[in-house]
Amino acid sequence: MEEISNPPTDITFKKYIPIITVLCCLVSIVLFIGINLQDNRDTWEAYRKWGSPSMTDIFGGDYWGLITSNFLHVEIWHIAFNLYWLWILGKKIEFETNKVFYILFILSSALVSSLAQLAFSDTTGIGLSGIGYALFGFLFVKSKTTEEYKNYLTKNTVNLFLVWLVVGVILTKAGTWKIGNAAHIGGLFWGVLVAYTAKFDNYLQWATGLMYISGLTFLIFYSPFSTSYLSYQAYELHKVQQVDAAIEAYKKILKRDPDNEFANENLKQLEVYQLEKKAIELHTKQKYTEAQLIYNQILSIDPSNEWAKENLIRLPSE
């Protein structure tokens, strides 16, 4: 009987060098090395220099940070994990699609994950995991609809991504570990959306994508889930010394997020500033009893305020 041999294995994919994926990895490695060689790396100045400007910088015009923050990592385990999955998932998509589509998909995934995180928190977050979830979402849909992607995602890979999605939310809610869950979920939905709409014409694909991005942008400025834009507005008012308006803005933030450290600290500064002006005026007019009450009020807000302590000691009795 003639032996039936298995069909030859296609090794084209294994030999394929994914140039765009390699460049994404190299960019991440350069940024990782750069920030880790930076003195005082845990400052917003250092983060901005290496690709991740603060929320206020982004609203102030550093829009490039919505893309570049995705490629920044600080911890070795973080970059190792993300680059591994970028290589495994991204290589397949780059191989099966054209370069223009893949570049646009990577950049749009970066934008979407940053917008989603900003819409539900006060930062874009850092790292490639939002893009990783977009790649996963794209492959998950394609594995069900397109022969070239069939069986590429193993059951273990699917379970890992879905379980980590849930675990990340639990760890964040418990206060154990802050994870960019909105970036993960936003990226996942983006990948699913891009894969699903691929069967429609280009007009519908672009319209759907723009609607998704516009929806996330609307959430940022309408601020139902995040105080990021409110914080920016308060910061700008504070910077130009519109004290009363800034105080109201900080109070608005604290009504929605009582533990917001940014608003608490800045509100305390402005309230002390207003009280100091009032104390100086009363002191100058020799209304010492009233001035004493104001100095004590300042110390109740800021117990370490040396200026109030010194003036309180020097205060003569009326």
Side-chain angles (χ1 to χ4, degrees):
M1 175 179 275
E2 184 180 357
E3 183 180 353
I4 301 175
S5 60
N6 292 324
T9 304
D10 181 8
I11 61 173
T12 307
F13 173 64
K14 291 184 178 180
K15 289 185 174 182
Y16 178 68
I17 300 175
I19 301 300
I20 307 304
T21 303
V22 169
L23 288 175
C24 289
C25 292
L26 288 176
V27 168
S28 296
I29 291 169
V30 168
L31 295 178
F32 172 77
I33 294 172
I35 196 167
N36 277 283
L37 292 177
Q38 173 86 43
D39 293 332
N40 300 318
R41 73 179 190 184
D42 293 324
T43 63
W44 278 117
E45 289 77 13
Y47 272 76
R48 183 181 185 278
K49 179 179 178 180
W50 295 103
S52 183
S54 67
M55 165 267 299
T56 52
D57 287 332
I58 288 174
F59 283 120
D62 288 348
Y63 306 121
W64 49 265
L66 295 169
I67 303 293
T68 57
S69 59
N70 288 262
F71 297 91
L72 179 65
H73 303 78
V74 176
E75 305 295 340
I76 186 66
W77 64 265
H78 193 200
I79 190 173
F81 183 85
N82 282 340
L83 290 188
Y84 173 79
W85 286 111
L86 176 64
W87 181 262
I88 297 297
L89 304 178
K91 180 181 179 181
K92 178 63 173 175
I93 299 174
E94 185 173 351
F95 177 74
E96 299 293 352
T97 61
N98 63 69
K99 293 287 189 291
V100 174
F101 170 84
Y102 185 62
I103 291 171
L104 289 175
F105 184 46
I106 291 291
L107 294 177
S108 62
S109 298
L111 175 63
V112 163
S113 60
S114 291
L115 289 175
Q117 191 62 32
L118 200 56
F120 289 87
S121 73
D122 295 333
T123 178
T124 61
I126 61 172
L128 286 163
S129 52
I131 295 176
Y133 266 96
L135 299 175
F136 167 74
F138 182 89
L139 285 169
F140 184 80
V141 172
K142 284 293 188 179
S143 68
K144 310 293 184 183
T145 61
T146 308
E147 187 65 29
E148 290 80 7
Y149 294 96
K150 190 175 181 181
N151 298 323
Y152 186 72
L153 291 178
T154 66
K155 185 177 180 180
N156 286 340
T157 298
V158 174
N159 288 340
L160 173 66
F161 272 83
L162 296 181
V163 168
W164 179 242
L165 199 66
V166 176
V167 170
V169 173
I170 293 172
L171 291 175
T172 301
K173 290 293 184 182
T176 306
W177 192 5
K178 288 186 177 181
I179 297 172
N181 300 298
H184 295 172
I185 296 170
L188 175 62
F189 280 126
W190 179 247
V192 168
L193 183 68
V194 171
Y196 180 77
T197 57
K199 60 185 178 182
F200 301 112
D201 59 42
N202 288 337
Y203 174 80
L204 186 59
Q205 290 179 48
W206 280 95
T208 306
L210 289 173
M211 284 177 62
Y212 185 74
I213 292 172
S214 298
L216 290 175
T217 305
F218 173 78
L219 290 178
I220 291 172
F221 291 102
Y222 182 65
S223 303
F225 306 111
S226 166
T227 59
S228 58
Y229 187 60
L230 291 174
S231 297
Y232 169 71
Q233 290 178 308
Y235 174 79
E236 288 297 302
L237 290 168
H238 192 156
K239 191 166 65 174
V240 296
Q241 291 297 301
Q242 293 187 29
V243 177
D244 291 335
I247 286 175
E248 288 305 309
Y250 288 129
K251 286 181 177 179
K252 189 175 180 180
I253 294 169
L254 291 172
K255 281 182 181 179
R256 297 175 51 181
D257 181 11
D259 298 323
N260 189 295
E261 185 177 349
F262 169 80
N264 273 312
E265 286 299 316
N266 283 286
L267 180 60
K268 183 172 75 172
Q269 287 181 20
L270 290 182
E271 287 179 336
V272 167
Y273 170 76
Q274 283 193 321
L275 289 170
E276 285 175 346
K277 286 177 62 179
K278 191 172 182 180
I280 291 171
E281 182 182 350
L282 292 169
H283 202 145
T284 303
K285 293 180 178 179
Q286 298 184 353
K287 296 182 177 181
Y288 301 130
T289 301
E290 294 176 50
Q292 183 181 35
L293 293 174
I294 300 300
Y295 289 131
N296 284 324
Q297 193 175 347
I298 292 171
L299 291 172
S300 69
I301 298 172
D302 180 14
S304 62
N305 191 295
E306 295 298 327
W307 180 84
K309 289 178 183 178
E310 290 176 8
N311 281 284
L312 200 56
I313 293 171
R314 296 172 183 174
L315 200 64
S317 58
E318 286 187 298

